[in-house]
Amino acid sequence: MPVTDGASVSERTVGRLTLYRRLLNEALSAGTESLYSRELAERSGNSAAQVRRDLMVVGYDGSTAHGYSVRDLLKSLSDYLDRPGGERVALIGIGNLGRALMAYFTGRRPGLRIVAGFDKDPYRHGRVIHGCRCHPMNDLETCIAKEEINVAIVAVPGPEAQGVAERLVRAGVRGILNFAPVPLHLPAHIHVENIDLTMSLEKVAYFSRNGGTERKGNN
Amino acid sequence: MPVTDGASVSERTVGRLTLYRRLLNEALSAGTESLYSRELAERSGNSAAQVRRDLMVVGYDGSTAHGYSVRDLLKSLSDYLDRPGGERVALIGIGNLGRALMAYFTGRRPGLRIVAGFDKDPYRHGRVIHGCRCHPMNDLETCIAKEEINVAIVAVPGPEAQGVAERLVRAGVRGILNFAPVPLHLPAHIHVENIDLTMSLEKVAYFSRNGGTERKGNN
DNA sequence: TAGATTGTTAATCGATTAACAATC
DNA sequence: TAGATTGTTAATCGATTAACAATC
């Protein structure tokens, strides 16, 4: 039974849970039916204590005899992490990066689907890219309402990102994955996850000169 | 004068420094010649105390009268962050995502250039994409040595990533930006920065349902 | 049983923020 | 000067890890 919540969970913990899920799926494909915290720790690059603490939050109890049942744990993780019925995602900005993201997410995780694309370029309107139709920006609000979309990916140029994000929030979006290299200023209840490609590459460049920072596990 | 180093700097600090640099460049474009920690704090989404502490590590002193000189601070940041002569980067995997990354980084930051692409698909060998030639995987080691490359971007499918990463390290690469959704197991002195697109989207989806986690500033 | 693993709390570690004397 | 800002240390905060009784 999943924990009745109450305690809020950190961003890092949720990240690690999604990683565990992936590793558990791999294990299941390889025919492994049960796993110890120690094994999941090695594969994920975290400590065994952290794995146990993380798994506590999803409310699934392992056994001291066989560790964790892979199937049962996957079920608990899905109950904890996924929206029942699946998550419907909008993608704003169908440039080079946007199209690559379309391709990347298509079919990768069922239950996490990009169902609508938007671009200001009329040339792209009506086109279907990787099974997803591209709409004009004017249709943003109505389309997001009609399709019951809660999550959006912003892949527009930096100067346009803040305006687009504000429109998304007014349309009812609650979470944004932002690829534009600008800090978005939005209400506190909106969750924003920034992927700043240039910043990441600059960090790698810096530490490639100034010694590795043996950070463990996930980003 | 830049600090003679000694104290190692956290990954987060370096990330914020690159963000400050971007904001300072914007300010300079807008004609702003000096800035207070408070202003940089607002724009970056961090606290003023943190901005001051961060800027201390680059060894540039502001003045109590006018705050920080934008030009001089940019110079100090460049001295601190950049490799003299610029950073030469290799990109492994020229699929949808790889090509988008080529386009994204081309001309965005001079001094941070993708100078060689690699792919196992013979169809792509010899092609020039966004000004960068695509080589066969066999040439990886020789090409990286010849081009004096220290940093690589891995955009190959998950199952191939560990093998590719090990070859890169043997060839002399010291830092890797990894887009493959697998934890890389490499020597501790190699810096690995993971960008896990699915994990990031799953985190956004989770927190879009379970309340915003008003995280400040950068990722 | 003996040995290993679990859930869970206490101790540790590191990063952020608050505070303040020195400065302009 | 008075007010605001700086560099820098101390206090706070949160996350990770170590430890251990209970369990199989």
Side-chain angles (χ1 to χ4, degrees):
Chain A
M1 61 217 78
V3 121
T4 349
D5 202 282
S8 78
V9 180
S10 85
E11 221 175 310
R12 293 191 174 192
T13 303
V14 174
R16 286 192 299 265
L17 290 176
T18 69
L19 177 57
Y20 300 152
R21 166 151 71 174
R22 191 180 298 155
L23 296 170
L24 288 164
N25 272 318
E26 281 176 19
L28 197 61
S29 300
T32 309
E33 291 285 345
S34 69
L35 223 49
Y36 296 120
S37 59
R38 178 176 40 79
E39 296 173 288
L40 208 43
E42 279 167 18
R43 300 182 193 194
S44 67
N46 299 120
S47 75
Q50 178 142 82
V51 170
R52 293 206 296 277
R53 209 179 60 84
D54 288 340
L55 293 185
M56 273 177 54
V57 313
V58 308
Y60 171 71
D61 283 4
S63 92
T64 55
H66 310 102
Y68 302 90
S69 153
V70 175
R71 284 177 200 280
D72 294 352
L73 183 49
L74 278 169
K75 173 72 169 58
S76 293
L77 281 167
S78 179
D79 287 347
Y80 187 84
L81 292 171
D82 299 336
R83 184 188 298 271
E87 196 70 58
R88 303 166 68 75
V89 180
L91 171 64
I92 327 298
I94 324 278
N96 284 313
L97 185 59
R99 284 195 303 276
L101 294 172
M102 282 275 192
Y104 189 90
F105 286 116
T106 297
R108 191 168 291 257
R109 271 195 55 70
L112 198 61
R113 292 205 329 278
I114 299 180
V115 296
F118 299 89
D119 201 286
K120 66 172 185 180
D121 184 353
Y123 169 71
R124 301 204 171 95
H125 298 160
R127 283 179 62 192
V128 175
I129 300 168
H130 297 287
C132 173
R133 184 166 294 277
C134 179
H135 303 274
M137 285 299 288
N138 281 343
D139 297 355
L140 190 77
E141 285 79 1
T142 54
C143 194
I144 282 180
K146 196 181 66 183
E147 295 273 6
E148 298 178 7
I149 288 170
N150 293 286
V151 171
I153 302 172
V154 171
V156 302
E160 299 170 25
Q162 179 67 34
V164 165
E166 287 171 11
R167 285 182 66 181
L168 287 167
V169 169
R170 279 199 301 272
V173 163
R174 311 266 310 189
I176 291 176
L177 181 58
N178 175 41
F179 285 88
V182 291
L184 297 181
H185 298 277
L186 296 173
H189 68 280
I190 305 296
H191 183 85
V192 178
E193 182 98 9
N194 293 300
I195 293 187
D196 189 328
L197 297 171
T198 305
M199 178 189 290
S200 295
L201 188 56
E202 289 193 334
K203 281 163 69 179
V204 174
Y206 176 86
F207 286 108
S208 75
R209 288 196 311 288
N210 299 73
T213 45
E214 50 244 79
R215 297 273 291 110
K216 316 260 200 60
N218 63 327
N219 56 337
Chain B
M1 61 218 77
V3 121
T4 347
D5 200 285
S8 80
V9 180
S10 85
E11 221 175 310
R12 293 193 174 190
T13 303
V14 174
R16 287 192 298 266
L17 291 176
T18 69
L19 177 57
Y20 300 151
R21 167 152 69 176
R22 191 180 297 155
L23 297 169
L24 288 165
N25 273 317
E26 281 175 20
L28 196 61
S29 299
T32 309
E33 291 285 345
S34 68
L35 223 49
Y36 296 120
S37 59
R38 176 176 41 78
E39 297 173 286
L40 208 42
E42 279 167 19
R43 299 182 194 194
S44 66
N46 299 117
S47 75
Q50 178 142 82
V51 170
R52 293 205 297 278
R53 211 179 57 85
D54 288 341
L55 293 185
M56 271 177 56
V57 313
V58 308
Y60 171 72
D61 284 3
S63 93
T64 55
H66 309 103
Y68 302 89
S69 154
V70 174
R71 284 177 199 279
D72 294 352
L73 184 48
L74 279 169
K75 174 71 169 59
S76 294
L77 281 167
S78 180
D79 286 348
Y80 187 83
L81 292 170
D82 299 335
R83 183 190 298 271
E87 197 70 59
R88 303 165 69 73
V89 181
L91 171 63
I92 327 296
I94 322 279
N96 284 313
L97 184 59
R99 283 195 303 277
L101 294 171
M102 283 274 193
Y104 189 90
F105 286 116
T106 297
R108 190 167 291 256
R109 269 195 56 69
L112 199 59
R113 293 204 330 277
I114 299 180
V115 295
F118 298 89
D119 201 285
K120 65 172 185 178
D121 184 351
Y123 169 70
R124 300 203 173 97
H125 297 161
R127 283 180 60 191
V128 176
I129 300 167
H130 297 288
C132 173
R133 184 167 293 275
C134 179
H135 302 274
M137 286 298 287
N138 280 345
D139 297 355
L140 190 76
E141 284 80 2
T142 55
C143 194
I144 283 180
K146 196 181 67 185
E147 295 273 6
E148 297 179 8
I149 289 170
N150 292 286
V151 170
I153 303 172
V154 172
V156 300
E160 298 170 28
Q162 178 67 34
V164 165
E166 288 172 9
R167 284 182 66 182
L168 288 167
V169 170
R170 278 199 302 271
V173 163
R174 311 266 311 189
I176 292 176
L177 181 59
N178 175 41
F179 286 87
V182 290
L184 297 181
H185 298 277
L186 295 173
H189 68 282
I190 305 297
H191 183 84
V192 178
E193 183 96 11
N194 293 299
I195 293 187
D196 190 328
L197 298 170
T198 306
M199 179 188 291
S200 294
L201 188 55
E202 289 193 334
K203 279 163 70 178
V204 173
Y206 175 86
F207 286 108
S208 75
R209 289 196 310 288
N210 298 73
T213 44
E214 50 244 76
R215 297 274 289 106
K216 317 261 200 60
N218 63 325
N219 54 340

